[in-house]
Amino acid sequence: EILGEERYAIAAPLIARVLQGEAQSYDWQPFPGVWQVISYAPKRDGAGRVTGYYVLGTDITERKAAEAKIHSLNQELAGHLVELENVSRALRTLSAGNRTMLRAVSEPELLDNMCQAIVESGGYDTAVVWFRLEDGPQSLRPMAQHGYPTGLPGLLGLQATWADNERGQGAVATAIRSGQTRVVADLANAPGYAHWQAELHDYASVIACPLRVAGKVIGALAIYDTRPQAFSPDETVLLTESAEDLAFGINNLRTRAEQLRSQEAMHRLTHFDNLTGLPNEMQFAETLTATLAEARQLHRPFALLQANIEHLSELNDALGFRHGDQLLCEFGNRLHSLMPYPAMVARLRGDEFSVLLPDSGADGALAAVQLLQQHLETPFRIADISLEVSAKIGVALYPEHGTTPHDLFRHMDIAVHLAKKKGVGHVVFDPAQNPDHSRRLTIASELRRAIEQGDLQLYLQPKVDMASGRLCGAEGLVRWQHPERGLIPPVEFVGLAENTGLIKPLTEWVVGAALRLNHAWSEQGCALPIAVNLSAHNLRDERLLERIHHLLATWQIAPGLFEMELTESTVMEDAEFALHVLHGLRREGIPLYIDDFGTGYSSLAYLQKLPVDYIKIDQSFVRNLSTRKESELIVRSTIDLIHDLGRKAVAEGIEDQASWDILATLGCDYAQGYFIARPMPAEQFQAWAASYQPPASCLPDRTEWSI
Ligand code: C2E
Ligand code: MG
Ligand code: MG
């Protein structure tokens, strides 16, 4: 009655059970918003028999509210767990992707590994990297994949496109065009996939993230999943980040590849000669340094050879640079094929080639020299002309001739120059003739003192007019009166002076001595021209003209009495500038000589431009005149050439009557040489001139010149 019928229906079975001795309880809502728990507990007597029951009502509204909250929280949690699982696979993808990135050394490897990581570490079904092509149909090229049932060939067969047409509305194409990540959650019903339904396999969703490399979208990373709605928003952010990392990795590898390519190109540029393709001076020097270190350790010898092609510039002048270049290439080829591995053949510069012969002593070096000379006997075919090419070779050996690259290079160079000077095919460096560096330094400082203290001497060698036999001038030649070593000839110190900056004071001394003599002789009324020799270094001296002008004015020298000689190579060293200086000297009234003609490579065209009055035929041609027929031929054509150019020919180094006679018949204008007189101290010159008798073959009716 108290409970009423409705509640009694609930309570009756409980009452029945509690009367059996089992406690009971149930929750109910007496009013909306209020919850109670009703408990029934059996009441027992002393013997434990159930005699009735207690009913206890407790308000549990709050607990009920808390339970409801917990329930809804649990549901929310379940949702989050799914999301979390998605995010965590994306995170796994991200970190596996990054590991891949660190390890990959090439772009294909990176793309493959990335796809594999997405599937295997991330747990997605399939990953594909698509690149866009800039071809006509704007194709999508699958570059790497993992998990696609028919692999790359299957993907290729899809003939996907990123073009904005009906087949290009999928996630990949739109991601590429827009540069934004695209997610399609339900492929079966997506309008963009209407054309692709047959190729979808079991895939239900896809995400495509653009790959942006160096500011340009080059493709997309696509991940396919068989569940619909597979990609949550947070996951999308993370996968986009993964794709950005992949793009970064691609960019890195491309930059590295580019760097490698330019490093290689740089290495080629800096280590190889452009023209011949042979190693250049830098590579040669590096190899020399390495060979030296090894040779030192293993106590092994090696040899260096330098071969200079002769008369290359003449060939350039005659046939043009293109053919000169062709000769250089063929010479390089010949040298390269003659010197087998491990010899290294390099082109140092211009006409200079070098060979490094590891494990080689003097014998090996000489065998190589012989081999080269022998093969040079076969003419080169350039521009349909058969050219005889010769080379001067210098040899330096380790350890005899130097233990540093610098010394070896220098000594090899000295040997070549000596070969040129002596007119022989090759020279092996001779330390006895070339004092070592510290010794050179001592000599240089002694020379400096000698110039300051006037320990130099001016020697004079007469020149005579060949037609009349008359004395017509003298050449001033310097000597060094050394306190211990005695009289030193110029070949032993002029080069040193040039290399140590002493050539300026030296030349000043010689010019001063010559002008003093000029002046003294003029005062005595027996003026005679005196020629001094200039070095290339003097020619480069910008104050040369100014100083000469000043000196000529000081000594009041009449024009023509003070002359200058310059070797062919001196003039050719800086041809344009030399021309300017020579014109300046000529304006000062100084007659000019080209010295040692025939040893350099001056071109005829250039020679014609030079304001010189005399050309001195080098003594190497003159000395053999009476014994070698070809010398006569050379001298004859040289004299003709000099006359054609409107200049006077001077022969130097005439040592005997026979040479004199030949030169006289060839029409040579002036003569100089031991046959007339050796160079003598300037103070003895007047006495010599007074007793001078012209050679017997001169026309007798000419009056003698006497001083
Ligand atoms: P150069 O100017 O060609 O001088 C001619 C050289 O040939 C001289 O050698 C002379 O003694 C030598 N000579 C002359 N006639 C004969 C001969 O019949 N037979 C032989 N075998 N030799 C002959 P020197 O005096 O030893 O001079 C050598 C070179 O040193 C000169 O060649 C010149 O280039 C240079 N030189 C000499 N004095 C000076 C100078 O004051 N300044 C500069 N820059 N160089 C100088
Ligand atoms: Mg001279
Ligand atoms: Mg000379």
Side-chain angles (χ1 to χ4, degrees):
E1 279 163 19
I2 292 169
L3 293 177
E5 240 174 77
E6 198 185 328
R7 276 187 66 198
Y8 187 71
I10 301 168
L14 299 166
I15 293 168
R17 272 198 292 272
V18 76
L19 288 176
Q20 299 290 314
E22 284 174 50
Q24 303 288 316
S25 75
Y26 75 98
D27 300 349
W28 81 303
Q29 248 186 319
F31 326 101
V34 175
W35 276 90
Q36 289 180 346
V37 62
I38 307 296
S39 304
Y40 293 85
K43 179 179 182 285
R44 297 174 191 274
D45 62 9
R49 284 185 300 262
V50 178
T51 57
Y53 63 89
Y54 301 100
V55 180
L56 186 68
T58 314
D59 187 304
I60 58 159
T61 311
E62 253 180 60
R63 200 187 84 201
K64 275 286 178 195
E67 270 172 13
K69 174 100 185 146
I70 284 170
H71 181 72
S72 84
L73 279 176
N74 271 341
Q75 278 201 319
E76 212 176 298
L77 195 64
H80 278 312
L81 275 176
V82 173
E83 168 83 352
L84 207 62
E85 168 54 22
N86 284 352
V87 167
S88 92
R89 62 183 185 171
L91 279 173
R92 285 199 303 274
T93 302
L94 202 59
S95 87
N98 283 342
R99 276 200 303 279
T100 301
M101 216 93 75
L102 285 178
R103 281 192 223 112
V105 293
S106 75
E107 194 173 319
E109 185 192 347
L110 171 69
L111 302 183
D112 276 343
N113 293 355
M114 186 70 180
C115 290
Q116 189 178 348
I118 290 169
V119 174
E120 289 181 355
S121 304
Y124 297 95
D125 288 322
T126 298
V128 180
V129 174
W130 295 96
F131 276 5
R132 67 187 252 186
L133 299 188
E134 304 293 342
D135 55 356
Q138 300 186 302
S139 313
L140 277 173
R141 153 92 45 92
M143 303 302 293
Q145 67 81 32
H146 202 83
Y148 192 74
T150 51
L152 275 184
L155 289 163
L156 209 64
L158 296 178
Q159 299 196 326
T161 174
W162 60 277
D164 193 2
N165 56 30
E166 60 214 14
R167 287 166 52 79
Q169 302 306 323
V172 173
T174 49
I176 286 176
R177 288 201 303 273
S178 65
Q180 305 287 331
T181 291
R182 289 293 146 121
V183 178
V184 178
D186 180 10
L187 288 173
N189 300 305
Y193 282 83
H195 287 272
W196 296 105
Q197 290 301 320
E199 283 98 7
L200 282 182
H201 297 277
D202 292 332
Y203 299 122
S205 18
V206 61
I207 177 170
C209 311
L211 295 170
R212 198 183 302 275
V213 172
K216 185 182 171 216
V217 178
I218 60 156
L221 168 66
I223 301 173
Y224 302 85
D225 211 287
T226 47
R227 287 159 296 161
Q229 331 283 345
F231 305 100
S232 69
D234 284 349
E235 191 180 8
T236 302
V237 171
L238 286 170
L239 290 177
T240 304
E241 211 171 292
S242 244
E244 280 165 9
D245 287 353
L246 176 61
F248 176 76
I250 294 171
N251 193 26
N252 252 354
L253 286 175
R254 287 186 181 181
T255 316
R256 211 184 302 161
E258 180 60 33
Q259 269 169 356
L260 275 179
R261 270 195 300 276
S262 49
Q263 262 168 16
E264 259 165 42
M266 194 65 136
H267 186 266
R268 269 211 78 75
L269 269 179
T270 52
H271 285 74
F272 288 87
D273 172 47
N274 236 347
L275 179 67
T276 60
L278 290 173
N280 65 6
E281 186 175 12
M282 180 185 263
Q283 189 175 167
F284 191 78
E286 282 176 9
T287 310
L288 173 59
T289 307
T291 308
L292 195 66
E294 200 182 274
R296 217 175 265 153
Q297 217 171 31
L298 305 175
H299 303 291
R300 287 202 183 139
F302 67 85
L304 287 183
L305 250 71
Q306 184 176 317
N308 289 16
I309 303 179
E310 291 194 284
H311 310 300
L312 181 67
S313 64
E314 281 170 21
L315 181 93
N316 276 335
D317 282 344
L319 299 179
F321 279 105
R322 198 164 59 83
H323 292 118
D325 285 354
Q326 201 182 333
L327 173 66
L328 282 168
C329 287
E330 292 195 10
F331 186 89
N333 275 344
R334 221 179 257 196
L335 195 56
H336 183 72
S337 60
L338 284 178
M339 308 287 150
Y341 183 83
M344 179 191 233
V345 175
R347 180 177 172 220
L348 301 185
R349 63 192 86 78
D351 55 8
E352 295 175 13
F353 290 79
S354 219
V355 185
L356 190 143
L357 294 168
D359 282 331
S360 193
D363 288 350
L366 288 177
V369 168
Q370 226 169 31
L371 193 68
L372 175 62
Q373 301 283 31
Q374 193 185 324
H375 278 80
L376 284 182
E377 282 168 16
T378 315
F380 286 74
R381 227 176 146 78
I382 308 281
D384 279 337
I385 301 172
S386 185
L387 282 180
E388 308 252 346
V389 173
S390 59
K392 295 286 185 231
I393 304 174
V395 179
L397 304 170
Y398 170 86
E400 299 94 306
H401 303 154
T403 51
T404 63
H406 175 265
D407 281 354
L408 286 166
F409 257 129
R410 203 163 54 87
H411 293 161
M412 173 171 80
D413 205 55
I414 288 174
V416 183
H417 279 97
L418 212 62
K420 278 188 195 162
K421 200 162 154 187
K422 288 184 172 174
V424 295
H426 77 273
V427 162
V428 179
F429 177 74
D430 180 3
Q433 289 183 2
N434 293 273
D436 63 32
H437 204 61
S438 57
R439 174 122 183 79
R440 281 171 71 83
L441 279 181
T442 323
I443 298 178
S445 69
E446 285 176 354
L447 179 60
R448 183 185 307 276
R449 223 171 313 128
I451 298 169
E452 282 164 9
Q453 296 174 357
D455 285 343
L456 300 178
Q457 283 190 22
L458 185 69
Y459 270 51
L460 293 177
Q461 188 179 30
K463 293 178 200 171
V464 298
D465 179 308
M466 289 199 81
S468 64
R470 280 173 60 176
L471 185 59
C472 61
E475 176 174 8
L477 296 159
V478 68
R479 302 284 183 266
W480 175 8
Q481 186 63 56
H482 192 278
E484 287 129 38
R485 300 205 291 145
L487 202 63
I488 307 178
V491 272
E492 286 184 33
F493 63 89
V494 168
L496 178 75
E498 285 171 343
N499 293 333
T500 48
L502 289 173
I503 192 68
K504 269 190 223 169
L506 180 104
T507 307
E508 239 160 67
W509 185 91
V510 176
V511 170
L515 290 178
R516 208 171 310 123
L517 266 184
N518 274 144
H519 181 77
W521 289 351
S522 297
E523 294 270 274
Q524 294 164 28
C526 50
L528 187 73
I530 300 176
V532 302
N533 292 281
L534 279 198
S535 276
H537 293 71
N538 300 127
L539 220 55
R540 283 198 296 268
D541 178 2
E542 286 178 353
R543 296 194 48 217
L544 176 78
L545 284 175
E546 183 191 323
R547 265 198 302 247
I548 295 287
H549 178 83
H550 176 75
L551 281 170
L552 290 178
T554 309
W555 290 101
Q556 294 177 327
I557 304 299
L561 283 186
F562 178 71
E563 305 175 319
M564 281 181 167
E565 296 189 5
L566 303 108
T567 66
E568 209 184 340
S569 52
T570 293
V571 174
M572 291 309 288
E573 228 179 78
D574 183 352
E576 273 313 302
F577 189 68
L579 194 61
H580 155 79
V581 179
L582 295 195
H583 275 293
L585 292 171
R586 201 68 199 75
R587 275 196 298 274
E588 293 295 335
I590 302 174
L592 299 174
Y593 292 74
I594 291 294
D595 206 350
D596 301 350
F597 182 73
T599 57
Y601 315 117
S602 43
S603 76
L604 298 185
Y606 182 71
L607 212 58
Q608 205 165 10
K609 281 204 273 178
L610 292 178
V612 297
D613 309 87
Y614 307 95
I615 294 176
K616 295 179 85 171
I617 305 165
D618 191 65
Q619 41 182 289
S620 57
F621 304 108
V622 176
R623 246 183 294 144
N624 301 320
L625 208 51
S626 49
T627 51
R628 290 183 62 170
K629 204 75 198 142
E630 64 267 33
S631 285
E632 190 185 323
L633 239 150
I634 295 173
V635 172
R636 179 198 302 274
S637 54
T638 309
I639 291 172
D640 289 348
L641 166 83
I642 294 169
H643 287 160
D644 285 348
L645 290 175
R647 313 290 148 84
K648 298 278 186 208
V650 185
E652 50 179 5
I654 303 179
E655 292 187 348
D656 47 39
Q657 179 78 52
S659 307
W660 170 283
D661 290 343
I662 295 171
L663 285 159
T665 2
L666 293 180
C668 184
D669 303 286
Y670 301 99
Q672 180 180 350
Y674 293 175
F675 176 60
I676 297 137
R678 288 183 176 252
M680 62 195 87
E683 53 279 12
Q684 295 173 13
F685 192 82
Q686 278 184 307
W688 173 85
S691 62
Y692 165 68
Q693 293 289 324
S697 53
C698 285
L699 301 174
D701 59 330
R702 298 282 169 111
T703 40
E704 285 165 26
W705 193 97
S706 68
I707 193 165

